[in-house]
Amino acid sequence: NKQNGEIGGGSRILVFVRLRPMGKKERESGSRCCVRIVNRRDVYLTEFATENDYLRLKRLRGRHFTFDASFPDSTTQLEVYSTTTAELVEAVLEGRNGSVFCYGATGAGKTYTMLGTVENPGVMVLAMKDLFNKIRQRSCDGNHVVHLSYLEVYNETVRDLLSPGRPLVLREDKQGIVAAGLTQYRAYSTDEVMALLQQGNQNRTTEPTRANETSSRSHAILQVMVEYRVKDASNNVVNRVGKLSLIDLAGSERALATDQRTLRSLEGANINKSLLALSSCINALVEGKKHIPFRNSKLTQLLKDSLGGACNTVMIANISPSNHSFGETQNTLHWADRAK
Ligand code: ADP
Ligand code: MG
């Protein structure tokens, strides 16, 4: 049963791993594959590049991990979408919230998984396509209103990716935390969405030293709001709203903390605050803690109504096959393992 819910006091988070194919350049420079996926579930770290990696293997827990599903490098975008996100789109049409995160080091395949390309659209676009198809199949489809927001959290500053400009201020109102002035784009079909999202992705903050390249410290959040009217049990017309958040997280290479002590020392060193805060919230949710520290970052404030409780939460950990990324891969798997 893949339905999320309260299990043993904690919230269940579905955790997936996706291995990307080896790039041409990597192969030419002699990279070897250091990851093996068996039965679409088990992940084994095989080779390592350095003596350090070997010591790390001995220190950190094992080299075998298992997840709700693990996707080998031949997995299609559609398979990833169907396994990880399709149920959340269903849930949104029942008025429930959900969120899907891509986590991993820079270059591991997060943006490919979330946004994808025109030829191979990713989770964001496939979710919109599926959503519009499902709405069309409903007898009362004229009722449904779909709005999109696309925003970025960079250095604890929130920006509108659909209408770049000044930073947005987060306010608390009766609906929860909202980014004041954020564009709510009314979407009518899938066709317009890919272009819109690609444009938005272009608007993500770039590292000053590497123009044209998206900053590895930027979190991109697509929020899809679906609003519709239904008749309740006593035949009254009621409004329902469901919200799906799809998040392309900042690169995890700067947040390698695997225990509380390193976590604190990293926080002192101006490491990505939102990524650390998300880790803390997820760990608190999984452990069934009463207090979830949503207030600690902009990212977690924005996602407060979409994480834990009755919400569906999905994590896709992206990894590179190259033995030169062994350390990053192991850290990502270890982090993902703790989110289960
Ligand atoms: P990230 O966003 O995590 O930094 P990207 O999504 O930009 O990483 O991926 C790095 C490179 O690998 C890109 O050139 C991308 O097109 C390619 N890539 C990633 N995942 C896949 C995949 N599943 N299939 C084919 N190419 C991929
Ligand atoms: Mg990226």
Side-chain angles (χ1 to χ4, degrees):
N1 182 9
K2 296 176 77 194
Q3 205 63 268
N4 278 352
E6 308 281 317
I7 294 174
S11 292
R12 174 100 161 87
I13 292 176
L14 291 182
V15 184
F16 302 95
V17 163
R18 183 184 201 182
L19 176 67
R20 75 157 164 77
M22 188 82 84
K24 194 161 169 271
K25 277 204 189 119
E26 284 172 314
R27 210 176 305 114
E28 284 168 2
S29 70
S31 288
R32 291 190 312 269
C33 179
C34 70
V35 184
R36 202 155 60 91
I37 291 179
V38 178
N39 295 331
R40 304 225 143 214
R41 187 173 278 274
D42 296 289
V43 182
Y44 294 91
L45 286 169
T46 52
E47 294 191 38
F48 39 84
T50 66
E51 190 63 17
N52 246 349
D53 292 338
Y54 177 71
L55 293 174
R56 220 201 247 282
L57 252 188
K58 287 182 73 168
R59 202 176 68 236
L60 286 173
R61 179 155 32 112
R63 54 165 79 187
H64 171 215
F65 301 83
T66 178
F67 299 97
D68 289 291
S70 304
F71 303 113
D73 62 0
S74 55
T75 312
T76 64
Q77 296 280 62
L78 192 58
E79 275 179 87
V80 171
Y81 167 75
S82 315
T83 312
T84 62
T85 311
E87 285 188 36
L88 274 62
V89 169
E90 295 267 4
V92 164
L93 284 167
E94 304 299 325
R96 278 182 289 144
N97 294 353
S99 50
V100 181
F101 295 88
C102 276
Y103 178 93
T106 298
K110 298 181 297 297
T111 304
Y112 185 88
T113 298
M114 268 300 161
L115 183 65
T117 60
V118 174
E119 305 80 53
N120 291 303
V123 165
M124 287 176 172
V125 180
L126 296 175
M128 294 305 297
K129 195 169 165 185
D130 197 17
L131 178 71
F132 281 116
N133 279 340
K134 291 206 163 86
I135 289 174
R136 224 171 294 122
Q137 284 162 15
R138 289 188 160 188
S139 54
C140 54
D141 66 338
N143 264 333
H144 294 71
V145 177
V146 179
H147 280 111
L148 299 181
S149 302
Y150 198 24
L151 57 154
E152 169 188 73
V153 176
Y154 177 79
N155 270 345
E156 294 308 291
T157 301
V158 181
R159 284 204 168 78
D160 191 341
L161 291 175
L162 296 182
S163 168
R166 271 182 289 154
L168 304 178
V169 176
L170 298 190
R171 294 220 180 92
E172 179 126 41
D173 74 1
K174 46 183 191 303
Q175 287 167 34
I177 307 266
V178 292
L182 178 66
T183 307
Q184 306 277 335
Y185 179 90
R186 171 126 190 221
Y188 293 90
S189 75
T190 327
D191 304 336
E192 56 192 324
V193 171
M194 185 72 198
L196 191 78
L197 295 183
Q198 278 192 321
Q199 181 56 51
N201 216 50
Q202 292 287 313
N203 292 332
R204 288 176 74 176
T205 302
T206 51
E207 216 91 84
T209 48
R210 289 195 287 167
N212 295 327
E213 243 176 83
T214 308
S215 166
S216 55
R217 280 183 285 185
S218 151
H219 306 277
I221 308 164
L222 174 69
Q223 294 198 302
V224 185
M225 269 88 46
V226 185
E227 207 174 335
Y228 61 100
R229 293 183 300 278
V230 282
K231 284 192 176 147
D232 66 7
S234 38
N235 232 19
N236 297 315
V237 176
V238 292
N239 232 32
R240 272 204 195 157
V241 188
K243 183 158 82 173
L244 180 62
S245 301
L246 303 172
I247 303 110
D248 182 354
L249 288 170
S252 57
E253 58 274 9
R254 288 180 179 84
L256 302 178
T258 48
D259 62 56
Q260 285 303 315
R261 213 179 64 220
T262 23
L263 202 87
R264 271 194 301 275
S265 68
L266 282 170
E267 264 161 347
N270 192 25
I271 301 297
N272 197 309
K273 198 171 169 184
S274 278
L275 200 54
L276 293 175
L278 177 68
S279 298
S280 303
C281 286
I282 285 176
N283 290 336
L285 284 166
V286 170
E287 285 160 20
K289 296 239 169 80
K290 287 248 157 53
H291 174 71
I292 312 297
F294 289 114
R295 291 186 142 271
N296 289 355
S297 78
K298 293 289 183 350
L299 180 71
T300 49
Q301 282 175 52
L302 281 164
L303 295 172
K304 192 179 168 186
D305 63 356
S306 304
L307 266 175
C311 303
N312 295 294
T313 307
V314 168
M315 189 63 62
I316 304 172
N318 288 95
I319 56 174
S320 151
S322 167
N323 58 332
H324 295 116
S325 307
F326 185 95
E328 302 291 3
T329 298
Q330 196 187 32
N331 271 306
T332 298
L333 293 171
H334 192 77
W335 186 93
D337 195 55
R338 292 222 325 165
K340 291 195 299 196

